[in-house]
Amino acid sequence: MDNGLKAKDPDLSVDLGGGLALKNPVMTASGTFAYGEEASKYLDISVLGAIVVKGISLEPRQGNPPPRIVETPSGMLNSIGLQNVGVDVFLSEPFLGERGATVVVNILGSSTEEYLKVAELLSTDSRISALEVNISCPNVKEGGVQFGMNPDMASGLIRSLRETTDLHLMVKLTPNCGDIVGIARAVEDAGADSLSLINTITGMVIDVGKKRPVLGSVVGGLSGPAIRPVALRMVYEAVGAVDIPVVGIGGISETDDALQFLIAGAAAVQVGTATFLDPCVPLNILEGIRSYMIDGGMSALSDIVNTLELG
Ligand SMILES: Cc1cc2nc3c(=O)[nH]c(=O)nc-3n(C[C@H](O)[C@H](O)[C@H](O)COP(=O)(O)O)c2cc1C
């Protein structure tokens, strides 16, 4: 400011409802920050809005066969699958919450019963602030159909989870469904506190010399800047369809990217693939949003969120 007065520090806090209040809107995305311990060597993770940890299932899982990652134009394709240490080991290990971070645990399951059991066990731990429900998992009992592709299945799962836990339920939507608005409305009606989107977009890469798929599991999930316009469009549509907060995810790599999602109506954002290049990207984005607000004389995030001008 050139009037000699110190700019007032803007209020970056955001209340996502259902007991989840964040100091600011910048979170890490599940599966890209592991359990947060590694990254805490490089940055003070407690400064971020929240750390969303890798998806946790009831039992440990090995994930998919290698190779599991391939670089693509402006992004990457991964087929890590559901690899994780399982809920018991997760709860017994040193914990991010002890470093002052707000912890959101991403959960997954192959049946409603598995999701419920994982949620029940995690709900006993006061260091956990919220559950992010990954509904991109196949329901083995129903023949491998993904929960997130079908509004009835998605809503049945969230309704059962709502009865099982008092933790904030953030439901993570898959872009690989035909109708993002239909799924968004179904999980809102079933009791979700917030939505997060998008998960990765299914894709494939072929090694022409070998005439073989590059990934061991043939197809994988596309992430990174390549998916950002798709993610932004879906967030914009979801915001217009539901009354609960929407968290934007997909290719966010710098401040302007995050601002686009906030202007489109996202209450907060998650940063994923970009942290592979530099684990400090979420912090840089947080500082970028703060500077943008100071420069624009804004006092609260509501000065940015859902301010898209049309026409
Ligand atoms: C290596 C890798 C692992 C992931 N694991 C999970 C996961 O366990 N659960 C989940 O809901 N999303 C998972 N995701 C999806 C991300 O959280 C995020 O939704 C997606 O990558 C899009 O964001 P980005 O472009 O910023 O990475 C994973 C993504 C990557 C790249």
Side-chain angles (χ1 to χ4, degrees):
M1 296 183 96
D2 55 10
N3 59 4
L5 296 173
K6 192 176 178 306
K8 193 172 174 305
D9 217 14
D11 178 8
L12 282 133
S13 66
V14 45
D15 189 346
L16 295 180
L20 183 61
L22 308 179
K23 11 180 141 62
N24 62 68
V26 183
M27 314 158 85
T28 59
S30 175
T32 60
F33 227 63
Y35 302 111
E37 284 294 309
E38 300 80 350
S40 61
K41 289 181 208 141
Y42 305 102
L43 68 154
D44 177 4
I45 53 171
S46 70
V47 174
L48 293 174
I51 305 292
V52 185
V53 300
K54 173 81 185 149
I56 301 289
S57 55
L58 192 55
E59 304 292 339
R61 294 197 191 211
Q62 297 297 321
N64 289 322
R68 308 203 291 187
I69 283 186
V70 56
E71 200 170 333
T72 58
S74 295
M76 61 177 266
L77 202 60
N78 92 83
S79 62
I80 306 298
L82 307 176
Q83 180 182 357
N84 76 97
V85 295
V87 67
D88 289 338
V89 173
F90 173 72
L91 285 173
S92 67
E93 286 193 336
F95 212 73
L96 299 167
E98 283 144 21
R99 295 179 185 273
T102 298
V103 179
V104 177
V105 180
N106 183 279
I107 64 168
L108 58 96
S110 302
S111 64
T112 302
E113 294 72 30
E114 182 176 358
Y115 276 102
L116 297 184
K117 190 74 197 151
V118 175
E120 199 180 308
L121 290 168
L122 292 171
S123 301
T124 59
D125 196 314
S126 59
R127 300 168 298 183
I128 296 170
S129 297
L131 300 180
E132 181 181 57
V133 188
N134 177 3
I135 56 172
S136 314
C137 306
N139 181 344
V140 175
K141 286 192 177 163
E142 304 221 357
V145 187
Q146 283 193 3
F147 284 97
M149 308 278 261
N150 177 315
D152 291 338
M153 275 177 66
S155 126
L157 174 65
I158 302 309
R159 217 171 284 284
S160 301
L161 278 166
R162 185 69 293 163
E163 286 165 10
T164 304
T165 182
D166 290 330
L167 283 174
H168 177 106
L169 279 179
M170 182 182 295
V171 181
K172 183 161 180 182
L173 306 188
T174 169
N176 305 314
C177 67
D179 172 20
I180 200 86
V181 163
I183 302 273
R185 288 196 176 126
V187 299
E188 177 184 41
D189 289 347
D193 294 301
S194 64
L195 304 177
S196 58
L197 61 148
I198 59 174
N199 211 317
T200 54
I201 300 177
T202 309
M204 182 176 179
V205 176
I206 291 176
D207 180 327
V208 172
K210 296 180 185 156
K211 293 190 175 171
R212 294 182 65 84
V214 171
L215 294 177
S217 61
V218 183
V219 297
L222 185 64
S223 64
I227 71 170
R228 192 169 55 239
V230 178
L232 188 63
R233 187 267 297 172
M234 289 188 161
V235 165
Y236 168 69
E237 287 180 356
V239 165
V242 298
D243 291 325
I244 51 177
V246 173
V247 177
I249 321 168
I252 297 175
S253 313
E254 48 190 69
T255 303
D256 268 22
D257 304 338
L259 288 172
Q260 287 191 55
F261 281 87
L262 297 176
I263 291 168
V269 293
Q270 295 182 10
V271 182
T273 300
T275 63
F276 292 152
L277 287 174
D278 176 0
C280 294
V281 167
L283 274 188
N284 300 341
I285 290 175
L286 173 57
E287 285 320 306
I289 295 173
R290 196 189 310 277
S291 300
Y292 174 83
M293 292 176 74
I294 292 172
D295 292 348
M298 301 172 190
S299 55
L301 274 180
S302 54
D303 293 330
I304 309 178
V305 172
N306 219 348
T307 56
L308 183 67
E309 303 212 8
L310 294 170

